[in-house]
Amino acid sequence: MIESAAKSVDSKFFLHYNFPPFSTGEVKMMRGQSRREVGHGNLAMRSLRQMMPGSDYPYTVRVVSDILESNGSSSMATVCAGSLALMDAGVPIPKHVSGVAMGLITRPADGKYAILTDILGDEDHLGDMDFKVTGTREGICGVQMDIKVDGLSMETMREALEQARKGRLHILDAMYGCIPAANADVKPHAPRMVKIFIDKEFIGAVIGPQGKIIQEIQRETGTTINLEEVGNFGEVSIFSPAKEGLDKAVNWIKSIVAQPEVGSVYEAKVKSVMPYGAFVEFLPGKQGLLHISEVSHKRLETMDGVLKEGDTVKVKLIGLDQKTGKFKLSRKVLMPKPEGAGSRQEPQQ
């Protein structure tokens, strides 16, 4: 939120441009933002904002440009460096944005002039124009001009824009050679947020009695989870300081709302062991019988020493009893068959 005396607005992209006195060899008091910092920073921000993702992008992005030395257009350097930084950070901008400052030297006596590309500090100070142009390979994103002459002819403007285009393309080639496209993922240390939608009927299952389930997920994964009912769906927003915790929380919630499918393979946890088999939980709240005949290809007389409570086993859902609704699970169909064993007939689904 940006608040001023007159209004309050929200923004998801900020660019702060810092131009300390030492960058130009000066000694001054370090006070508030100067007119130059505000103007040049705004030009760079407007140029890069053209490529920023839409309002559905979950992050608020802040680019900070600290100018350490300036003998040319530090605002155009900010555009180029900012574009590279955004792609490196994994912000999905579709194209690089570069910028270049054009200058002009005129001789009033005979009307001759020369257009300069990428002007230095002296050329800016002694010249008649400071014309900054930013853009991609396809078009212009921003322009800013200061002139010390009465005006410019259309021919001069066309020539300056064409020369600026060639300069920008030259810089863009170097930028694409460094980072050709935005990284597919944000940095490992970047905070993560993901939003998933679940059916309304599963909201209670995710929350649990007195919020026990959702609190356990947050405690075990180190995430923060918000769940709101929106129409016929539950909107689940998961926030995490690291990718590992986020993935764990997402998989946990998806397992709660998942519907068992015959033929699917699950990681199951043994809940209890009986003489005739073991009851295992293959999805949160979903248990099935792993019959003793489905534990191994060998004939087992007892479950002693085979499985114990708390063990994790990989099982396949091979059927569903239509009368009782009980799940039939098998472990041996996932194990290699011993030599000489006959082929097992899969139950029809």
Side-chain angles (χ1 to χ4, degrees):
M1 179 182 290
I2 306 171
E3 290 187 303
S4 68
K7 61 183 179 179
S8 175
V9 296
D10 289 326
S11 177
K12 297 187 74 173
F13 178 62
F14 297 86
L15 188 146
H16 291 153
Y17 169 94
N18 299 317
F19 194 83
F22 66 76
S23 65
T24 53
E26 298 174 302
V27 179
K28 290 182 180 179
M29 292 290 288
M30 295 283 285
R31 292 198 175 101
Q33 298 297 300
S34 66
R35 178 188 63 84
R36 177 181 185 138
E37 287 171 303
V38 173
H40 287 194
N42 191 40
L43 172 62
M45 182 175 69
R46 285 188 286 112
S47 300
L48 291 174
R49 182 180 280 159
Q50 307 294 325
M51 292 296 114
M52 288 298 291
S55 58
D56 58 339
Y57 188 61
Y59 288 97
T60 293
V61 180
R62 177 178 181 239
V63 177
V64 179
S65 176
D66 289 315
I67 306 304
L68 305 181
E69 182 183 358
S70 177
N71 188 25
S73 182
S74 53
S75 62
M76 296 298 94
T78 296
V79 172
C80 298
S83 181
L84 290 165
L86 288 168
M87 281 203 175
D88 181 59
V91 179
I93 61 173
K95 306 171 189 174
H96 269 308
V97 182
S98 71
V100 67
M102 310 302 296
L104 177 70
I105 301 293
T106 58
R107 189 164 65 189
D110 55 7
K112 284 190 175 182
Y113 65 89
I115 296 173
L116 312 175
T117 302
D118 192 20
I119 55 175
L120 298 174
D122 287 343
E123 293 166 337
D124 182 16
H125 178 70
L126 300 173
D128 297 319
M129 177 181 76
D130 179 8
F131 183 34
K132 297 179 172 65
V133 186
T134 69
T136 66
R137 283 172 170 166
E138 283 71 34
I140 291 173
C141 291
V143 294
Q144 179 176 296
M145 173 183 280
D146 298 323
I147 55 173
K148 300 174 186 175
V149 292
D150 291 338
L152 298 176
S153 66
M154 186 61 71
E155 179 188 354
T156 306
M157 278 298 299
R158 284 199 183 99
E159 192 175 334
L161 280 168
E162 176 58 24
Q163 202 163 313
R165 188 183 70 85
K166 291 178 180 177
R168 284 190 299 103
L169 292 177
H170 177 76
I171 298 168
L172 282 168
D173 288 341
M175 292 170 66
Y176 277 107
C178 181
I179 303 180
N183 287 332
D185 197 8
V186 295
K187 296 288 185 180
H189 56 271
R192 309 278 174 145
M193 191 201 91
V194 70
K195 188 178 291 185
I196 60 177
F197 293 89
I198 62 175
D199 286 337
K200 186 178 179 180
E201 61 183 287
F202 291 113
I203 293 177
V206 173
I207 295 174
Q210 298 179 340
K212 286 183 180 179
I213 300 297
I214 197 169
Q215 288 173 12
E216 183 185 3
I217 298 173
Q218 292 180 108
R219 184 173 61 253
E220 293 294 326
T221 62
T223 58
T224 300
I225 302 173
N226 292 334
L227 202 162
E228 296 181 9
E229 186 178 326
V230 180
N232 292 323
F233 295 94
E235 184 182 284
V236 186
S237 299
I238 308 170
F239 306 87
S240 174
K243 185 176 187 295
E244 183 182 358
L246 182 85
D247 292 342
K248 188 176 179 182
V250 169
N251 292 334
W252 195 329
I253 292 172
K254 284 184 176 179
S255 68
I256 292 174
V257 303
Q259 295 288 350
E261 293 183 11
V262 175
S264 297
V265 178
Y266 301 96
E267 288 279 348
K269 189 172 184 179
V270 178
K271 290 296 185 179
S272 60
V273 180
M274 300 294 176
Y276 51 85
F279 286 98
V280 299
E281 186 179 54
F282 60 97
L283 285 173
K286 299 285 190 301
Q287 290 191 24
L289 174 64
L290 179 60
H291 195 267
I292 191 170
S293 63
E294 296 292 343
V295 174
S296 172
H297 287 289
K298 294 191 301 182
R299 180 177 175 82
L300 300 175
E301 299 295 336
T302 175
M303 290 292 292
D304 292 341
V306 181
L307 291 174
K308 64 180 184 296
E309 190 174 325
D311 283 352
T312 300
V313 292
K314 191 168 283 189
V315 297
K316 183 176 182 179
L317 181 59
I318 59 173
L320 180 67
D321 192 313
Q322 298 297 329
K323 293 181 179 179
T324 62
K326 292 181 179 179
F327 301 105
K328 299 177 182 178
L329 302 167
S330 176
R331 180 190 181 209
K332 75 178 184 181
V333 296
L334 301 174
M335 302 168 69
K337 294 178 182 177
E339 290 185 17
S343 61
R344 181 190 183 284
Q345 293 293 325
E346 288 279 350
Q348 290 196 355
Q349 299 177 11

